[in-house]
């Protein structure tokens, strides 16, 4: 879908969020709750979700969305969680940041927003 009002736009926005000193990152229910809230707030549509627990700790998970995906990998012993939130269309992945802060109380957040699929507007 082309945005003729913007001479250069992207097909998707990919938010990378690293949480340092985070809590509750080994709790699958808290991770599911955060995913649910992100999906609701951004207006995304979930197609499928899968989580895997590692022994003795750590979780990896992904929600496949009609708009792309949300993924997480956690290292509870280090208090570190890596989230990728990639969405196309009108979704705003950066709306996930306050949700992640609320659920995981990180001491520090590093984030990067990538414009993916930059294309020229219609002429």
């Amino acid at each position: 879908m082309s945005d003729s009002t913007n001479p250069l736009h992207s097909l998707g926005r990919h938010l990378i969020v690293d949480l340092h000193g985070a809590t509750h990152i080994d709790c699958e229910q808290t991770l599911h709750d955060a995913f649910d809230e992100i999906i609701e707030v951004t207006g995304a549509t979930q197609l499928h979700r899968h989580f895997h627990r590692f022994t003795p700790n750590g979780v990896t998970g992904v929600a496949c969305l009609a708009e792309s995906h949300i993924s997480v990998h956690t290292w509870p012993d280090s208090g570190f969680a890596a989230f990728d939130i990639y969405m196309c269309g009108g979704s705003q992945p950066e709306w996930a940041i306050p949700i992640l802060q609320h659920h995981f109380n990180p001491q520090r957040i590093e984030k990067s927003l990538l414009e993916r699929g930059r294309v020229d507007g219609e002429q």
Side-chain angles (χ1 to χ4, degrees):
M1 182 155 117
S2 178
D3 177 4
S4 59
T5 63
N6 184 355
L8 188 66
H9 72 281
S10 64
L11 297 175
R13 304 175 79 213
H14 195 158
L15 180 65
I16 308 297
V17 182
D18 290 347
L19 304 182
H20 299 269
T23 61
H24 311 296
I25 58 174
D26 202 37
C27 177
E28 282 185 68
Q29 186 59 56
T30 303
L31 290 163
H32 279 284
D33 292 346
F35 273 41
D36 288 343
E37 192 172 342
I38 291 167
I39 290 165
E40 179 180 342
V41 166
T42 60
T45 303
Q46 180 174 284
L47 303 174
H48 176 76
R49 186 184 300 189
H50 180 76
F51 277 73
H52 176 80
R53 169 164 295 287
F54 293 99
T55 302
N57 58 32
V59 178
T60 189
V62 65
C64 294
L65 309 174
E67 298 76 12
S68 198
H69 71 269
I70 302 170
S71 66
V72 64
H73 304 279
T74 72
W75 290 263
D77 291 343
S78 300
F80 178 74
F83 286 86
D84 284 19
I85 303 158
Y86 182 29
M87 296 182 171
C88 61
S91 296
Q92 302 293 317
E94 58 271 28
W95 292 352
I97 294 169
I99 296 166
L100 297 175
Q101 289 174 310
H102 171 77
H103 285 280
F104 305 107
N105 305 305
Q107 294 173 359
R108 182 168 52 97
I109 297 176
E110 294 177 7
K111 58 187 180 273
S112 173
L113 183 64
L114 307 168
E115 298 289 335
R116 307 285 304 269
R118 293 186 66 87
V119 296
D120 291 327
E122 294 179 353
Q123 305 209 350

